[in-house]
Amino acid sequence: MPKAKVHSGAAKRFKKTAGGYKRKSAYKSHILTKMTTKRKRQLRGTSMIHKSDEVLIDRMLRAK
């Protein structure tokens, strides 16, 4: 049986947890010098993917 293809970009961005999928916050990759320290601190954590988007993530990661 051939190996199932996985969207490699999605595999790097999303992690499966018991409660669903988690992702990093957006707007944290560049132009950090213009952001306030408070804003950068708020973007530090992770967020959970909404339930309606989990079907798409499952499809990209081929999770069952």
Side-chain angles (χ1 to χ4, degrees):
M1 186 167 164
K3 184 176 166 185
K5 290 191 175 185
V6 174
H7 193 282
S8 61
K12 295 174 191 175
R13 290 183 181 97
F14 305 110
K15 299 296 176 203
K16 179 77 172 163
T17 62
Y21 289 98
K22 69 178 182 178
R23 64 171 176 83
K24 291 184 179 177
S25 296
Y27 310 111
K28 185 69 172 94
S29 60
H30 67 285
I31 314 178
L32 298 176
T33 55
K34 293 183 180 181
M35 286 187 198
T36 63
T37 305
K38 180 180 179 180
R39 183 69 184 134
K40 288 186 276 192
R41 192 181 323 115
Q42 290 170 344
L43 292 172
R44 197 180 291 162
T46 58
S47 304
M48 296 302 289
I49 298 292
H50 193 268
K51 295 288 183 190
S52 62
D53 294 328
E54 284 188 6
V55 176
L56 299 172
I57 305 298
D58 282 338
R59 215 176 288 153
M60 284 192 280
L61 297 178
R62 302 279 189 225
K64 298 205 174 166

